[in-house]
């Protein structure tokens, strides 16, 4: 970790709270966070620190990703998201490439879920989206999650094609931590275009993972929920 990054880490340690750390450690699945230590700093607190550290060099931010402290890694990801949003086209490309070059450190759902649709999705908006289809075939579960969560950037613009195509590719995935974001994206599609979501579900609900289905129909009426779960 660079000297500048160590200063950010020290600031987080000063803000740490043992009770919050214990709660976070119970909340997250240990299998997905080998060696991570929780120090107890909430994300809203870290978000308020982002402007203060906006001028950190990219190499400083990236040096925080291998940290043992979960919140230091979250802070690095929040800074990458901010850098992408504030940056020029060249800076956005650098962040995107660095993000995908460090996916081994994005090894939990919260790391992916606060960043993929802010970095990967927007970067590919006006470009070929083939990288998403490479990621979705990765042996790395977190890269597959990045692919599907990135499509939220398009769903919010009523562009559903990639979300549906990637969801279809992930229906046979063995990991529950992939089923959840698939269901999440389908739910987001349904919030904007119920007919499109239902067309997908009518085709796949009998064979799709139950977790994905439950997430997808979360906002449906009780009657419709029962219909899909009963015929699943």
């Amino acid at each position: 970790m660079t000297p500048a990054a160590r200063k950010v880490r020290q600031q987080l340690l000063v803000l740490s709270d043992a009770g919050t750390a214990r709660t976070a450690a119970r909340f997250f699945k240990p299998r997905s966070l080998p060696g991570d230590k929780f120090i107890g700093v909430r994300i809203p607190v870290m978000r308020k620190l982002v402007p203060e550290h906006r001028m950190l060099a990219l190499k400083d931010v990236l040096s925080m990703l291998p940290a043992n402290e979960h919140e230091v890694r979250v802070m690095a990801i929040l800074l990458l998201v901010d850098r992408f949003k504030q940056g020029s086209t060249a800076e956005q490309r650098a962040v995107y490439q660095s993000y995908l070059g460090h996916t081994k450190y994005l090894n939990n759902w919260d790391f992916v879920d606060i960043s993929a649709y802010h970095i990967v999705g927007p970067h590919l908006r006006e470009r070929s989206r083939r990288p998403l289809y490479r990621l979705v075939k990765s042996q790395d579960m977190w890269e597959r999650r990045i692919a599907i969560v990135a499509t939220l950037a398009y769903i919010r613009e009523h562009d559903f094609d990639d979300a549906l195509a990637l969801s279809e590719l992930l229906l046979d995935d063995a990991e529950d931590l992939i089923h959840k974001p698939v269901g999440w994206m389908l739910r987001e599609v349904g919030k904007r275009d119920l007919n499109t979501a239902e067309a997908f579900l009518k085709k796949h609900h009998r064979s799709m993972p139950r977790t994905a289905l439950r997430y997808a129909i979360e906002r449906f009426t009780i009657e419709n929920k029962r219909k899909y779960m009963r015929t699943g």
Side-chain angles (χ1 to χ4, degrees):
M1 195 179 297
T2 66
R6 283 197 292 271
K7 290 181 180 179
V8 180
R9 176 181 177 272
Q10 185 58 40
Q11 185 179 30
L12 293 173
L13 290 173
V14 170
L15 294 169
S16 65
D17 176 80
T20 302
R22 286 192 295 271
T23 300
R26 289 193 298 268
F27 181 72
F28 287 101
K29 293 185 177 182
R31 75 181 181 91
S32 64
L33 291 165
D36 254 27
K37 174 185 177 182
F38 291 89
I39 60 175
V41 184
R42 298 182 186 278
I43 283 190
V45 174
M46 289 187 275
R47 289 191 191 280
K48 290 180 181 179
L49 298 177
V50 167
E52 179 181 341
H53 300 294
R54 185 166 283 155
M55 300 309 294
L56 277 178
L58 182 57
K59 65 180 179 61
D60 296 321
V61 177
L62 295 174
S63 77
M64 296 164 63
L65 286 175
N68 292 326
E69 298 87 2
H70 186 83
E71 291 86 345
V72 174
R73 299 168 71 191
V74 170
M75 188 68 197
I77 293 165
L78 292 176
L79 288 168
L80 287 175
V81 168
D82 181 72
R83 179 178 288 269
F84 184 90
K85 289 181 176 179
Q86 301 292 330
S88 64
T89 300
E91 288 168 334
Q92 289 180 343
R93 179 180 292 278
V95 171
Y96 166 82
Q97 292 175 340
S98 297
Y99 182 88
L100 291 187
H102 290 76
T103 55
K104 67 179 179 180
Y105 300 118
L106 304 175
N107 62 338
N108 198 55
W109 61 264
D110 64 327
F111 300 150
V112 173
D113 293 0
I114 63 173
S115 58
Y117 70 93
H118 290 301
I119 295 174
V120 178
H123 182 74
L124 299 176
R125 181 179 283 113
E126 304 300 331
R127 297 177 174 85
S128 168
R129 297 181 187 174
R130 282 180 294 180
L132 296 178
Y133 293 85
R134 290 196 292 270
L135 288 168
V136 83
K137 295 177 182 178
S138 172
Q139 294 299 307
D140 185 332
M141 171 176 65
W142 304 114
E143 291 192 345
R144 300 198 300 277
R145 186 161 179 137
I146 287 169
I148 187 63
V149 173
T151 66
L152 182 56
Y154 314 136
I155 293 171
R156 288 179 168 178
E157 297 173 349
H158 293 257
D159 176 356
F160 308 131
D161 290 351
D162 292 296
L164 297 175
L166 293 172
S167 292
E168 196 165 32
L169 291 172
L170 290 169
L171 289 180
D172 293 327
D173 201 284
E175 296 288 349
D176 183 64
L177 287 167
I178 296 299
H179 304 164
K180 290 178 179 178
V182 167
W184 172 22
M185 294 307 112
L186 293 173
R187 183 184 69 207
E188 293 297 317
V189 171
K191 285 163 61 176
R192 293 159 177 83
D193 187 333
L194 185 58
N195 289 335
T196 295
E198 289 221 68
F200 183 96
L201 292 173
K202 285 175 183 176
K203 181 178 179 182
H204 296 292
H205 74 278
R206 287 186 174 84
S207 59
M208 68 190 292
R210 298 300 89 182
T211 298
L213 180 58
R214 282 193 293 271
Y215 271 70
I217 65 176
E218 188 175 77
R219 290 175 175 264
F220 283 22
T221 64
I222 293 175
E223 182 181 350
N224 267 350
K225 284 181 182 180
R226 287 174 177 166
K227 179 184 72 174
Y228 280 106
M229 295 305 294
R230 185 170 56 246
T231 59

